């Protein structure tokens, strides 16, 4: 017998609060994080430690411990995301907490240093932490702004359909190019043979493809002086160009949405290593 | 050849083969007549290498020929050999076109004019039917074929495909796919549009047309077939084209017409009806028997057992117990009283009103798809809000319906012989109240399929269920205080109306004064404000509408139309008014419902003046969702594309929590105003996928999910029947290395569904290849925490919702930041 508790739970889910990770549970984690920062900042000025604030005081140790625990927990997001176990967790809640608590680290980590920065492994750890956080902030910005453009650009097409659409235009161009003269045919063939997906990082991120052979081919068919076959090829090339642009915009948005993780994650690993070195060295020289 | 055989068996599928083998074993003079040039055409036509399943596993096989799960080729090979060994008298290439005569001397007419004489006939022709033939002069010329097995085997031909459905289009595309074959392919469509085919196929065809690979001729009919030519009748007159081969794909005729022409009656007019049969499979035409899929038993094992049985019966073996006897005995073993199977069958038939007219054979079949249970006084049979689409019958005892969820003691009884739970069956909605046994009670629970079959094939049962449903729905809808007697006038006057999707039931400004209850399907309420109709609200099955005009005598203030194909019950408004006068509580209830509805409408109308854009968007979004199946959904996955970063973690999570195969395709599907309906199961109230599943493997589970159980035989019917394309046929892949070993050492393909290559190669390497079966979303039933796709979305873009909760103004226009 299905229990009615299950039912109520499922009903609540079906009536779900449709809200993003940023506003999850009315910004619960933002509030917690702000409170945490306020406590840290006020106590920083209230607590009087000798000779001055740095990582080595009891206050510094406290903040350091909180910071390490937070960093470890923040890193576990990568596991949580991929370990689809049973239970009532939601990755959205995790991300929400991750973002806001991660930001709080700016305050906690920096106050932990007591602004004692220099050229050493300790500051390296702090700098890596800041790098991870800065890339994280970039990530949140793109997560909040780009999906809309991604969606508009897709126009209800899947990636596979876009690629198939391009292939369909290409087949038409190949057929239509048969009657063309040698010179024109060569530009068209060059355009068709160019691999759309071999694009450099810069091209992907900017969406600018200066060496695009389709654009070049279009220039080879200037309006006004075309015979019937050329006219047809020219129209098809314009269609190819617009299909190509859609694919490129798609690749651009996806690249912008993903690029930061290529720093965020390796920097996290480096951070954990640096953190380990930092802790070991602190206790070793104690 | 004897002048007259003892028995002629028509059709050499598993049913016919098994019958013929038994006849041969008994030394009975027999002939097995088969239309095609091989045995068992239906199985012959399965995909090459298909793994054939031997379900139900608890049914013993009783046949002179062997059958066990295995590859199609192996099974057909075994049968060919064994039919030879048994010296079965087979006649291939002989299509039976008519059966005349009486028991003892039938004449069986074959295509081409031959006849065969037999004392008795066993029809085992399955349900595939015959392809529709071309109807024009020359239609019998050999250049016409009705099937295309391998489009790759034709070269340098002028080929014309007739037919505008998916089969025709796929054939045409296949024939034109490889330019090296150098075929000139044309396809003829009687109409201007390809309305019957899937949009994807039409798009491919149009592309092939643009590229000049296929000549598509619209509004064109074949007028005459000649040796190497085809005369076409087009809008602009006749035209002759060169033609070496014609492939006609214009659908097929079910065998019912042929069977009826032999003098055999069916149980009803319904499309799903079967021939009327006695326990020995004899039809209303004495001497002619029907077995196998045609008799309503679509599994190979059933077919073979019946083949054996029918010949035993013909041979005078009256004591033979059907092969399913032990299954029934096991079912009944749980009941008190130590009665035999036949006694139980008789008790159920005699005591339960709607089963009164059933034959013993129908009773057996019904019981096989049903459950029996005994309850003690006070035992709960089901709980309010349980999902459930089965229907219960009370064979002995009586039950109590709790009418007030907060007060267990407020109950009304339902007496022996009656039914309950019918609302879940008819509307596809959850149980409306908790039901307990009022005394020691024995119930029969008919699965949804069994109940629907019963309603379709036994008209009196259908009427009885309907009447009870209407009565109970009224009582439930208007709450306590009403009795059967109160609503009897309404029930008498009730009229069932079927509505097509998009059809108006009530029109704004209309003067009619009826009140309606939605029994099946759902409605949308619209009002014209400005030039466009504005969506006001969504009404699920179980709601009523039309009360405003009845109560205050005004014209209709809004239009109510069907979101999907629906059934509504129409009651005359004056009878409702009289009832309200008698029952002040009902009056109050109706008035308060009405006030609440007015408020919603007024709210939307008001907004229309100040925030016209938001209302239009709400209205358009709601209509978009309804067009995409939300009107028949119970729980649907939506993706807010203003939040979706395209990480596909939803798909990966689905795969990782379900045998490594994802049951959703995030990217595919329609989008409106950034709301995306991905390709994923909607858990329909009346699932189309259930319609035609031979082992009845698709069920509604305890959380309301529609799922496929382990008895699936991989026939692919459900995949074809689902309008939303959410079922895939695939084999369970081998297990992946653990997440940890992937993270640390890069072992295996990583999270999510592994590539097809990896799955295939690894399965081959490990020798763990599995049969391709149907897989679909099960709403993560049984997984603590609920749907993995939603839990694994990092941004909150993926949500699963119920239509009546989501199709509201606030939900649809709220801005998610
Ligand atoms: C794709 C697919 C997969 C399936 N997989 C399974 C499975 O794995 N396991 C399972 O148990 N069931 C499966 N089924 C169901 C099963 O195949 C059928 O229910 C079964 O074949 C029915 O047997 P039958 O003998 O009643 O009729 P059929 O097998 O349909 O045989 C009827 C025979 O009669 C012949 N015939 C028809 N009309 C005439 C005529 N007028 N004159 C002479 N001969 C005629 C036909 O050519 C045919 O050979 C599957 C069905 C399909 C479509
Ligand atoms: C030192 C602090 C931080 C650490 C160690 C850390 C670590 C990580 C890790 C390991 C992931 C998992 C990435 C993956 O596997 O795909 C991740 C994801 C993410 N982080 Fe951080 N992070 C930190 C701070 C922040 C901050 C401050 C922000 C934002 C302001 C942020 C935003 C994100 C976001 C948006 C994701 C992506 C979630 C997803 O797509 O699943 N992180 N982070
Ligand atoms: S598989 Fe298709 S038909 Fe079946 S419930 Fe899901 S969406 Fe409906
Ligand atoms: S679940 Fe689908 S594929 Fe499996 S047996 Fe039923 S209809 Fe056929
Ligand atoms: S609810 Fe579960 S089974 Fe259904 S799509 Fe989501 S993850 Fe897959």
């Amino acid at each position: 017998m299905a229990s009615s508790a299950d039912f109520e739970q499922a009903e609540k889910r079906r009536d779900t609060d449709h809200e993003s990770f940023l506003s999850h549970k009315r910004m619960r984690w933002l509030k917690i994080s702000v409170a945490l920062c306020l406590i840290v900042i006020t106590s920083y000025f209230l607590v009087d430690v000798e000779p001055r604030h740095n990582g080595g005081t009891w206050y510094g140790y406290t903040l350091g411990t909180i910071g390490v625990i937070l960093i470890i927990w923040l890193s576990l997001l990568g596991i949580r995301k991929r370990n689809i176990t049973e239970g009532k967790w939601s990755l959205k809640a995790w991300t929400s907490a991750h973002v806001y608590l991660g930001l709080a680290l700016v305050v906690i980590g920096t106050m932990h240093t007591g602004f004692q920065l220099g050229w050493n492994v300790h500051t390296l750890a702090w700098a890596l932490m800041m790098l991870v956080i800065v890339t994280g902030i970039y990530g949140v910005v793109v997560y909040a702004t780009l999906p809309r453009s991604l969606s508009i650009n897709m126009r209800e097409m899947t990636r596979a359909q876009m690629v198939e659409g391009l292939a369909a235009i290409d087949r038409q161009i190949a057929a239509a190019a048969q009657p063309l003269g040698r010179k024109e045919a060569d530009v068209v063939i060059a355009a068709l043979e160019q691999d759309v997906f071999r694009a450099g990082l810069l091209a992907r991120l900017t969406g600018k493809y200066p060496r695009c052979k389709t654009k070049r081919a279009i220039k080879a068919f200037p309006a006004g002086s075309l015979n019937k076959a050329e006219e047809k090829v020219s129209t098809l090339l314009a269609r190819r160009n617009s299909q190509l642009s859609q694919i490129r915009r798609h690749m651009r948005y996806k690249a912008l949405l993903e690029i930061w993780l290529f720093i965020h994650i390796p920097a996290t690993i480096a951070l954990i290593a640096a953190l380990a070195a930092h802790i070991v060295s602190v206790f070793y020289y104690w | 050849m004897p002048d007259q055989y003892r028995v002629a068996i028509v059709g050499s599928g598993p049913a016919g083969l098994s019958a013929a083998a038994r006849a041969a074993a008994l030394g009975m003079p027999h002939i097995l007549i088969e239309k095609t040039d091989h045995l068992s055409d239906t199985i012959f036509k399965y995909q090459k290498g298909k793994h054939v399943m031997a379900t139900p596993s608890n049914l013993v096989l009783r046949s002179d020929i062997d059958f066990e799960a295995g590859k199609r080729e192996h099974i057909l090979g075994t049968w060919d050999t064994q039919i030879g060994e048994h010296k079965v008298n087979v006649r291939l290439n002989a299509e039976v076109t008519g059966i005349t005569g009486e028991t003892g001397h039938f004449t069986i007419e074959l295509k081409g004019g031959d006849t065969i004489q037999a004392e008795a006939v066993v029809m085992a022709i399955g349900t595939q039917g015959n392809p529709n033939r071309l109807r024009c002069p020359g239609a019998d010329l050999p250049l016409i074929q009705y099937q295309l097995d391998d489009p790759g085997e034709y070269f340098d031909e002028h080929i014309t495909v007739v037919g505008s459905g998916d089969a025709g289009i796929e054939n045409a595309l296949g024939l034109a796919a490889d330019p090296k074959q150098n075929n000139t392919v044309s396809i003829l469509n009687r109409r201007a549009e390809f309305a019957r085919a899937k949009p994807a196929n039409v798009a491919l065809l149009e592309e092939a047309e643009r590229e000049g690979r296929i000549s598509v001729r619209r509004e064109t009919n074949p007028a005459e077939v000649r040796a190497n030519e085809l005369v076409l009748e087009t809008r602009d007159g006749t035209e002759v084209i060169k033609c070496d081969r014609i492939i006609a794909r214009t659908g097929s005729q079910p065998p019912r017409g042929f069977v009826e022409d032999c003098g055999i009656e069916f149980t009803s007019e319904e499309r799903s009806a079967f021939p009327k049969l006695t326990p020995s499979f004899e039809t209303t035409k004495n001497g002619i028997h029907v077995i196998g899929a045609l008799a309503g038993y679509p599994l190979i094992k059933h077919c073979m057992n019946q083949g054996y049985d029918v010949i035993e019966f013909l041979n005078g073996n009256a004591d033979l117990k059907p092969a399913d006897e032990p299954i029934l005995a096991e079912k009944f073993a749980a009941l008190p009283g130590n009665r035999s199977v036949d006694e139980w069958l008789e008790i159920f038939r005699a005591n339960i009103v709607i089963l009164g007219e059933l034959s013993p054979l129908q009773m057996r079949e019904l019981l096989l798809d049903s459950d029996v249970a005994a309850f003690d006084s006070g035992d709960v049979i089901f709980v309010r809000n349980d999902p459930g689409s089965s229907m219960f019958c009370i064979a002995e005892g009586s039950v109590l319906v709790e009418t007030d969820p907060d007060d267990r003691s407020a109950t009304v009884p339902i007496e022996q012989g009656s039914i309950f739970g019918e609302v879940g069956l008819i509307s596809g909605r959850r149980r409306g109240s908790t039901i307990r046994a009022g005394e020691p009670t024995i119930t029969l629970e008919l699965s949804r399929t069994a109940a629907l079959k019963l309603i379709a094939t036994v008209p009196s049962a259908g009427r009885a269920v309907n009447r009870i449903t209407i009565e109970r729905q009224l009582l439930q809808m208007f709450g306590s205080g009403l009795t059967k007697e109160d609503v009897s006038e309404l029930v008498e006057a009730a009229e069932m109306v079927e509505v097509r999707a998009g059809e108006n039931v009530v029109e704004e400004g209309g003067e009619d004064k009826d009140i309606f209850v939605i029994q099946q399907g759902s409605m949308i309420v619209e009002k014209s404000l400005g030039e466009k109709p504005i969506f006001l609200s969504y009404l699920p099955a179980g709601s009523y509408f039309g009360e405003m005009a009845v109560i205050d005598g005004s014209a209709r203030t809004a239009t109510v139309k069907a979101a999907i194909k629906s059934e509504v019950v129409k009651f005359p408004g004056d009878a409702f008014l009289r009832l309200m006068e008698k029952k002040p509580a009902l009056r109050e209830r109706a008035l308060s419902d009405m006030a609440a509805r007015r408020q919603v409408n007024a709210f939307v109308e008001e907004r229309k003046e100040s925030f016209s854009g938001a209302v239009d968007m709400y209205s358009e979004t709601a209509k978009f969702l309804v067009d995409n199946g939300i009107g028949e959904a119970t729980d649907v996955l939506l993706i807010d594309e203003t939040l979706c970063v395209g990480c596909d973690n939803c798909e990966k999570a689905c795969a990782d929590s379900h045998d490594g195969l994802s049951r959703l395709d995030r990217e595919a599907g329609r989008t409106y105003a950034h709301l995306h309906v991905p390709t994923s199961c909607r858990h329909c109230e009346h699932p189309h996928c259930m319609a035609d599943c031979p082992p009845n493997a698709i069920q509604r589970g305890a959380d309301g999910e529609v799922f496929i159980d382990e008895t699936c035989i991989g026939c692919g019917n459900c995949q074809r029947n689902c309008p939303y394309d959410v079922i895939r046929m695939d084999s369970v892949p081998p297990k992946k290395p653990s997440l940890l070993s992937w993270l640390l050492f890069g072992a295996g393909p990583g999270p999510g569904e592994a590539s097809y290559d990896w799955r295939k190669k690894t399965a081959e390497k490990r020798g763990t290849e599995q049969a391709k079966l149907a897989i679909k979303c099960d709403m993560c039933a049984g997984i603590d925490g609920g749907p993995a796709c939603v839990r694994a979305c990092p941004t909150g873009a993926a949500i699963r919702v119920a239509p009546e909760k989501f199709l509201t103004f606030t939900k649809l226009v709220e801005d998610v930041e």
Side-chain angles (χ1 to χ4, degrees):
Chain A
M1 208 116 300
S3 78
S4 31
D6 278 355
F7 170 70
E8 312 258 295
Q9 203 186 328
E11 279 295 276
K12 233 169 77 204
R13 168 174 67 68
R14 280 188 276 264
D15 195 17
T16 173
D17 285 332
H18 170 199
E19 53 185 11
S20 85
F21 67 107
L22 290 176
S23 46
H24 172 72
K25 298 262 182 209
R26 306 225 199 109
M27 315 229 169
R28 168 188 293 173
W29 292 102
L30 173 62
K31 291 174 194 160
I32 293 176
S33 173
V34 167
L36 192 61
C37 290
L38 286 178
I39 295 171
V40 171
I41 293 173
T42 34
S43 61
Y44 184 83
F45 290 108
L46 289 182
V47 174
D48 198 11
V49 287
E50 288 302 322
R52 54 154 301 164
H53 274 301
N54 69 38
T57 64
W58 68 264
Y59 182 72
Y61 278 132
T62 313
L63 287 188
T65 311
I66 298 177
V68 169
I69 293 174
L70 266 181
I71 287 174
I72 303 290
W73 180 81
L74 289 166
S75 313
L76 288 177
L77 181 65
I79 310 273
R80 174 73 292 176
K81 187 174 173 180
R82 295 176 178 83
N83 189 20
I84 310 300
T85 52
E86 298 206 358
K88 262 171 69 184
W89 57 275
S90 107
L91 196 64
K92 173 170 86 169
W94 272 69
T95 316
S96 186
H98 180 94
V99 166
Y100 292 121
L101 293 179
L103 284 173
L105 264 183
V106 177
V107 174
I108 298 170
T110 309
M111 297 294 178
H112 163 71
T113 66
F115 299 95
Q116 299 260 355
L117 302 172
W119 294 105
N120 51 34
V121 66
H122 316 296
T123 305
L124 174 66
W126 177 84
L128 281 169
M129 181 192 83
M130 292 308 284
L131 176 64
V132 174
I133 294 174
V134 168
T135 53
I137 293 173
Y138 165 88
V140 168
V141 172
V142 288
Y143 272 29
T145 52
L146 287 185
R148 210 175 274 268
S149 318
L150 187 71
S151 159
I152 292 171
N153 182 55
M154 301 246 303
R155 295 199 309 266
E156 300 201 316
M157 281 165 99
T158 64
R159 203 187 103 97
Q161 281 167 339
M162 293 181 209
V163 174
E164 176 46 43
L166 188 69
I169 297 172
D170 284 1
R171 285 196 293 272
Q172 291 183 50
I173 295 180
Q178 296 303 329
L180 294 185
R182 179 67 196 267
K183 208 174 102 244
E184 286 79 12
D186 280 349
V187 244
V188 172
I189 291 168
L192 293 189
E193 281 179 350
Q194 191 178 31
D195 185 348
V196 186
F197 297 99
R198 267 193 52 201
L201 183 63
L202 198 67
R204 261 177 218 260
L205 286 176
T206 56
K208 296 212 166 33
Y209 293 75
R211 276 186 295 281
C212 171
K213 295 203 172 135
T214 304
K215 291 220 176 67
R216 237 176 266 175
I218 289 176
K219 288 210 192 85
F221 296 89
S225 60
L226 301 178
N227 64 30
K228 237 185 157 158
E230 290 168 343
E231 191 80 60
K232 181 153 186 218
V233 173
S234 157
T235 333
L236 285 170
L237 281 173
R239 285 207 0 234
R240 179 174 214 269
N241 188 43
S242 101
Q243 180 61 73
L244 209 50
S245 311
Q246 187 194 17
I247 295 177
R248 287 177 174 160
R249 275 194 303 270
H250 184 75
M251 293 194 330
R252 169 160 186 256
Y253 294 133
K254 290 287 283 189
L256 288 171
L257 280 167
E258 281 165 9
I259 177 79
W260 63 282
L261 280 170
F262 289 93
I263 308 176
H264 200 71
I265 300 174
T268 298
I269 296 170
L271 166 62
I272 293 173
L275 217 54
H278 157 67
I279 295 168
V280 168
S281 66
V282 165
F283 284 99
Y284 190 77
Y285 293 113
W286 200 16
Chain B
M1 190 173 104
D3 298 341
Q4 173 152 317
Y5 295 103
R6 171 75 183 89
V7 59
I9 298 151
V10 187
S12 68
L17 283 178
S18 179
R22 178 85 295 232
L26 291 173
M28 193 188 263
H30 67 279
I31 181 166
L32 175 63
I33 311 169
E34 167 58 45
K35 172 171 78 170
T36 62
D37 64 0
H38 45 257
L39 298 177
S40 201
D41 189 46
T42 300
I43 295 172
F44 188 85
K45 281 202 243 152
Y46 289 179
Q47 212 179 342
K48 290 202 180 76
K50 179 185 184 307
H51 184 86
V52 183
M53 314 286 253
T55 43
S57 53
N58 59 352
L59 182 66
V60 291
L61 181 71
R62 186 150 78 190
S63 175
D64 297 282
I65 51 176
D66 293 331
F67 171 59
E68 56 185 23
K71 290 232 185 310
R72 158 190 174 274
E73 289 70 18
H74 173 73
I75 288 163
L76 290 174
T78 312
W79 289 350
D80 279 339
T81 324
Q82 296 188 342
I83 288 297
E85 283 166 7
H86 279 90
K87 305 220 168 7
V88 172
N89 178 26
V90 185
R91 177 155 177 180
L92 295 176
N93 297 309
E95 177 174 349
V96 174
T97 53
I99 302 173
T100 53
E102 298 300 328
T103 181
H105 39 87
F106 285 108
T107 302
I108 295 153
E109 292 153 22
L110 301 185
K111 191 170 170 185
D114 277 6
T115 58
I116 291 172
Q117 317 293 326
E119 287 172 33
V121 178
V122 171
M123 271 217 227
I125 58 173
T127 49
Q128 301 283 343
N130 283 323
N132 288 330
R133 306 263 151 186
L134 290 188
R135 271 178 309 220
C136 61
D140 46 4
L141 287 175
L143 70 156
I144 305 174
Q145 67 192 55
Y146 294 92
Q147 208 190 338
L148 177 68
D149 292 324
D150 179 7
E153 64 180 285
Y154 306 103
F155 293 89
D156 306 315
E157 289 191 17
H158 286 256
I159 307 178
T160 306
V161 178
V162 185
S164 55
D166 287 310
I169 295 178
E170 280 162 17
N171 285 176
L173 289 169
L175 288 163
D178 186 355
K180 287 200 205 79
Q181 284 173 245
N182 197 25
N183 292 318
T184 308
V185 182
S186 313
I187 181 165
L188 313 186
N189 182 359
R190 205 148 37 98
R191 298 175 211 284
E193 310 284 334
F194 287 86
R196 282 192 298 128
K198 288 190 192 144
N201 273 336
V202 179
L204 287 175
L205 183 68
E206 283 169 352
E207 189 200 323
E209 180 183 22
R210 275 198 303 277
E211 292 170 12
R213 286 183 290 128
I214 296 181
S215 144
V216 181
R217 293 168 173 271
R218 297 176 176 79
E219 297 182 67
T220 303
N221 279 316
E224 186 187 342
V225 182
R226 300 185 188 149
N228 281 311
E229 282 175 346
L230 177 61
V231 184
L232 302 178
E233 184 189 296
T234 71
R235 236 181 20 175
D236 315 314
T238 55
E239 196 183 328
V240 181
I241 59 170
K242 208 165 157 339
C243 182
D244 307 309
R245 186 179 300 279
I246 296 176
I247 296 174
R249 301 307 299 265
T250 52
S252 60
Q253 271 308 314
R256 176 161 181 172
F258 167 66
V259 176
E260 284 180 326
D261 286 344
C262 300
I264 295 167
E265 287 172 27
F266 277 62
T267 49
S268 80
E269 288 302 311
E270 296 280 334
R271 216 174 56 89
S272 51
F274 296 104
K276 286 187 188 162
L277 296 179
T278 68
S280 54
F281 304 104
E282 197 162 1
T283 62
T284 51
K285 176 87 183 167
N286 286 346
I288 303 187
H289 300 69
V290 166
I291 57 171
L294 182 62
Y297 294 85
L299 289 174
I300 296 170
K301 255 192 192 174
H302 289 148
C303 293
M304 295 181 70
N305 286 349
Q306 291 178 351
Y308 180 100
D309 293 357
V310 76
I311 296 297
E312 282 293 321
F313 291 135
L314 272 174
N315 198 38
N317 178 354
D319 302 329
L320 182 73
K321 290 275 179 221
D324 48 35
E325 184 87 358
I327 301 180
L328 287 180
E330 199 183 307
K331 275 194 183 182
F332 294 141
L335 301 182
N338 243 337
R339 299 188 176 99
S340 73
V341 169
D342 285 328
E343 282 167 337
W344 274 120
L345 288 176
E346 182 51 22
I347 289 179
F348 282 113
R349 192 197 61 77
N351 286 6
I352 297 169
V353 179
I354 58 168
L355 304 185
E357 288 179 15
L358 262 57
S359 69
L361 189 67
Q362 283 173 309
M363 279 304 294
R364 276 183 179 272
E365 203 192 323
L366 187 78
L367 262 292
L368 281 174
D369 280 343
S370 310
D371 282 320
V372 295
F375 295 92
D376 261 339
S377 185
D379 284 357
V380 171
I381 300 175
F382 58 65
V383 177
R384 189 173 117 90
N385 283 334
D386 273 359
S389 48
S390 58
M391 182 172 87
F392 289 80
C393 309
I394 308 173
E396 277 175 4
S398 66
V399 301
L400 297 173
V401 187
E402 293 181 10
T403 49
D404 181 351
D406 303 319
D407 177 9
R408 277 203 60 183
S409 61
T411 59
V412 292
I414 297 178
E415 72 286 5
Q416 171 166 322
S418 189
I419 57 171
F420 60 95
E422 72 296 333
V423 175
L425 171 74
I426 304 283
S427 70
R429 302 239 134 202
R430 289 165 185 276
R431 303 294 189 197
S433 8
T434 299
I435 292 199
R436 287 183 268 131
E439 57 188 297
T441 297
I442 290 174
T443 61
L444 171 66
E445 179 181 0
L446 307 184
S447 71
R448 179 174 182 277
T449 327
L452 291 181
K453 200 158 150 186
L454 176 72
I455 291 174
T457 51
V458 184
S460 63
R463 280 192 300 275
V465 172
N466 239 327
R467 204 200 126 91
I468 297 180
T469 312
I470 292 173
E471 180 185 290
R472 302 254 176 86
Q473 211 167 18
L474 280 174
L475 294 178
Q476 205 170 72
M477 222 161 38
F478 296 113
S480 52
L482 288 185
T483 63
K484 268 194 213 173
E485 291 68 40
D486 293 331
V487 296
S488 68
E489 186 192 351
L490 278 178
V491 175
E492 282 316 315
E495 187 191 331
M496 293 288 302
V497 187
E498 287 208 5
V499 231
R500 276 173 292 115
E503 195 183 335
N504 291 349
V505 183
V506 159
E507 262 164 64
E508 188 175 347
E511 294 290 342
D512 52 318
K513 297 276 176 303
D514 292 315
I515 197 161
F516 299 88
V517 171
I518 309 171
Q519 199 161 67
Q520 205 182 90
S522 59
M523 302 279 144
I524 54 182
V525 186
E526 284 182 348
K527 186 174 178 73
S528 6
L529 292 173
E531 60 284 27
K532 277 182 295 189
I534 291 297
F535 182 98
L536 290 180
S537 53
Y538 167 87
L539 300 174
S543 353
Y544 67 101
F545 61 91
E547 80 291 358
M548 291 189 191
V550 172
I551 293 175
D552 58 17
S554 58
R556 301 290 192 190
T557 55
T559 295
V560 182
K561 67 180 192 188
I564 51 162
K565 182 171 168 282
S566 306
E567 259 177 45
V568 294
V569 192
K570 179 163 126 183
F571 302 100
D574 44 358
F576 187 71
L577 279 178
R578 276 195 294 280
L579 182 61
M580 278 204 319
E581 261 156 45
K582 268 200 300 214
K583 296 279 164 184
L586 170 65
R587 189 186 168 74
E588 237 150 72
R589 170 76 197 275
L591 285 176
S592 80
D593 283 356
M594 189 166 98
R597 283 181 178 179
R598 282 244 160 92
Q599 219 174 353
V600 172
N601 297 0
F603 176 80
V604 176
E605 282 175 44
E606 221 172 80
R607 290 287 120 96
K608 174 72 186 168
E609 284 173 10
S610 36
F611 310 98
S612 171
V615 173
D616 287 344
M617 141 112 154
Y618 156 67
S619 190
E620 294 296 319
T621 312
K623 280 183 212 156
F624 160 76
L625 289 173
V626 167
D627 285 346
N628 282 281
I630 278 64
E632 58 180 319
T634 60
D635 193 306
V636 61
L637 177 65
L638 297 178
I639 293 186
D640 181 341
E641 289 200 340
T642 62
L643 294 175
C644 174
V645 295
C647 65
D648 277 334
N649 220 38
C650 47
E651 277 186 25
K652 291 183 190 143
C654 183
D656 283 345
S657 50
H658 293 86
D659 296 332
L661 293 173
S662 170
R663 284 104 212 278
L664 86 107
D665 183 343
R666 176 192 58 85
E667 257 194 321
R670 306 289 317 275
T671 311
Y672 181 82
H674 302 300
L675 207 50
H676 177 65
V677 189
T679 300
S680 148
C681 179
R682 284 109 165 101
H683 302 279
C684 304
E685 284 181 341
H686 293 276
H688 309 269
C689 52
M690 280 186 190
D692 206 5
C693 172
N696 210 348
I698 309 183
Q699 307 287 340
R700 191 178 284 285
D703 289 328
E705 76 281 7
V706 174
F707 72 99
I708 302 181
D709 70 21
E710 69 295 339
T711 62
C712 168
I713 55 175
C715 69
N717 286 352
C718 53
Q719 186 188 33
R720 277 187 293 278
N721 284 335
C722 169
Y724 307 110
D725 253 353
V726 309
I727 300 187
R728 59 188 274 202
M729 309 297 300
D730 223 320
S731 23
V732 175
K735 269 223 156 356
K736 296 185 292 189
S738 73
L739 179 62
L740 197 65
S741 53
W742 174 77
L743 276 174
L744 297 180
F745 316 112
E753 182 173 306
S755 69
Y756 178 75
D757 269 356
W758 185 89
R759 287 185 268 143
K760 197 167 152 65
K761 291 218 181 84
T762 315
E764 271 167 19
K765 210 165 69 202
R766 297 194 199 157
T768 53
E769 290 118 315
Q770 307 266 328
K772 279 195 177 162
L773 299 179
I775 59 165
K776 66 180 284 299
C777 163
D778 58 7
M779 235 160 82
C780 287
I783 297 184
D784 181 32
C789 45
V790 175
R791 282 188 293 140
C793 175
T795 63
I799 52 176
R800 293 202 70 106
V801 299
E804 67 270 32
K805 304 209 168 203
F806 198 68
L807 289 174
T808 63
F809 190 79
T810 26
K811 286 274 180 209
L812 286 185
V813 301
E814 76 189 343
D815 232 355
V816 177
E817 288 308 330

